[in-house]
Amino acid sequence: MKTTHRNNVVGMFEEGNVVKICAPMVRYSKLAFRSLVRKYNCDICFTPMIVASDFVRSIKARDSEFTTNECDRPLIVQFAAHDAQTLVDATCAVAPFSDGVDLNCGCPQRWAMSAGYGACLINKPELVKDMVRHVRNQVDNPNYTTSIKIRIHNDLRKTVDLCQKAESAGVAWITVHGRTSEERHQPVHYDAIKTIKDSVSIPVIANGDIKYPRDVESIHQLTGVDGVMVARGLLANPALFAGHEDTPLECIWDWVDISVQQGTPFTCFHNHLIYMLERVSSQPERKVFNSLCSTSAVIDYLQSTYGSVYDLVT
């Protein structure tokens, strides 16, 4: 990982390369997985979405929701919030240990929207603008970024208005998931992402349906965006950004090493491997692997089925 812009995420966009970002994923984009994808050309990682009010109120929430280390940079902390002061308080708590904060304006889950979080915020551009401005005004570090992650409206003019208002408030960059809050598996509206990119002067990140290395460049060419953000594609293949079509054996063993070193809970350790092996294993193999119940059983299975990491150099 380059260190020239450890504390200047915006500088990464100025280098002219497509910036590659690991998305915020509930339960999955935690420290251990971030450590893995960083070994395979991921430029920036997001934490899972954290509810800002819980984070501010509860020491237990802070300890369980936010874990990092000195190698975990550049790091963006994503918060769900619906008032400026709570977002500011949460940001100030994590600012010494991260490079930016992102306001979730895209989560379409019913619980989030009913609580005033996530995708419902795309219909409140003045509130988003106010929250961005407050964070910008109260964080001392001039290189600390404030960004937003959004979904699109059916009427794209509303999305453009939201993005332009956020830009005027000082947002450093915008991630656009190219679906509406009602859409789940429908095709991504890359034309909408291009329209947004053409409507602002700050970096725009494309998110949605990036599954293979070739998708990174094709979406860049299609939309002109400054970077791509990947969620499920990285779960299936954490080495995607390094150009691998499927998860290589080396990456699987790297995950085992990182998980053991960091004390990753078995369920998380196992679930990540289920995703990684889905495209490279047969259905009978998956059935056996999915039924394993301990770290030692998983390691024994991997060694007997795929070989050890030492086989890679012999």
Side-chain angles (χ1 to χ4, degrees):
M1 183 183 71
K2 299 185 292 291
T3 58
T4 50
H5 293 115
R6 273 181 81 95
N7 298 311
N8 188 354
V9 172
V10 172
M12 302 183 76
F13 296 112
E14 295 170 352
E15 293 179 355
N17 300 319
V18 180
V19 178
K20 302 172 180 69
I21 304 173
C22 178
M25 293 177 278
V26 176
R27 295 185 301 278
Y28 290 118
S29 52
K30 295 197 172 184
L31 176 60
F33 188 68
R34 299 196 301 264
S35 301
L36 178 66
V37 296
R38 290 187 193 280
K39 295 190 68 169
Y40 291 90
N41 292 3
C42 183
D43 296 314
I44 300 170
C45 289
F46 271 54
T47 67
M49 181 185 76
I50 301 169
V51 177
S53 58
D54 293 344
F55 192 79
V56 170
R57 183 174 60 246
S58 166
I59 294 175
K60 183 178 179 181
R62 290 196 290 278
D63 290 342
S64 65
E65 296 292 331
F66 183 67
T67 305
T68 186
N69 61 31
E70 61 181 9
C71 298
D72 187 30
R73 306 291 285 271
L75 178 65
I76 306 298
V77 182
Q78 189 186 70
F79 284 116
H82 51 52
D83 72 277
Q85 193 55 52
T86 301
L87 180 60
V88 167
D89 292 344
T91 299
C92 289
V94 300
F97 314 103
S98 58
D99 301 283
V101 67
D102 185 84
L103 175 62
N104 186 309
C105 303
C107 179
Q109 294 185 45
R110 189 174 290 111
W111 75 265
M113 294 182 67
S114 65
Y117 302 133
C120 72
L121 290 176
I122 65 173
N123 296 314
K124 301 176 181 178
E126 292 298 333
L127 175 58
V128 172
K129 183 177 177 180
D130 184 55
M131 287 194 281
V132 169
R133 182 181 290 125
H134 273 76
V135 173
R136 293 282 297 151
N137 288 343
Q138 294 192 47
V139 175
D140 290 336
N141 182 356
N143 291 325
Y144 196 81
T145 62
T146 306
S147 57
I148 60 174
K149 183 175 186 292
I150 67 170
R151 285 191 172 229
I152 61 173
H153 298 81
N154 287 311
D155 181 352
L156 198 57
R157 292 172 297 182
K158 293 182 179 179
T159 317
V160 169
D161 177 65
L162 167 69
C163 292
Q164 291 176 340
K165 281 186 166 67
E167 180 181 17
S168 71
V171 80
W173 44 293
I174 298 171
T175 302
V176 183
H177 183 98
R179 293 184 175 97
T180 68
S181 57
E182 293 81 27
E183 293 175 326
R184 293 297 182 269
H185 304 294
Q186 292 87 338
V188 173
H189 302 285
Y190 293 115
D191 54 338
I193 297 176
K194 183 181 189 306
T195 297
I196 293 164
K197 170 60 185 170
D198 292 341
S199 301
V200 296
S201 58
I202 54 175
V204 172
I205 310 302
N207 175 227
D209 280 4
I210 298 166
K211 299 176 181 177
Y212 294 97
R214 60 183 176 271
D215 297 334
V216 174
E217 185 55 33
S218 63
I219 289 167
H220 171 62
Q221 293 292 335
L222 196 62
T223 62
V225 290
D226 305 273
V228 295
M229 175 182 284
V230 182
R232 291 184 181 274
L234 280 177
L235 285 181
N237 176 15
L240 183 154
F241 288 147
H244 294 273
E245 287 292 309
D246 294 305
T247 309
L249 181 59
E250 180 183 7
C251 181
I252 290 169
W253 284 113
D254 280 339
W255 172 245
V256 172
D257 290 344
I258 289 168
S259 297
V260 170
Q261 289 168 8
Q262 296 192 12
T264 301
F266 175 75
T267 300
C268 179
F269 165 69
H270 190 212
N271 284 348
H272 272 292
L273 286 168
I274 289 172
Y275 277 110
M276 291 181 210
L277 294 171
E278 186 173 6
R279 297 204 304 235
V280 298
S281 59
S282 66
Q283 187 173 359
E285 286 173 338
R286 290 197 296 273
K287 187 174 181 180
V288 171
F289 184 81
N290 294 359
S291 69
L292 299 175
C293 298
S294 71
T295 299
S296 59
V298 166
I299 292 173
D300 288 345
Y301 177 89
L302 292 174
Q303 288 177 332
S304 63
T305 307
Y306 301 105
S308 74
V309 69
Y310 302 107
D311 297 331
L312 297 170
V313 294
T314 57

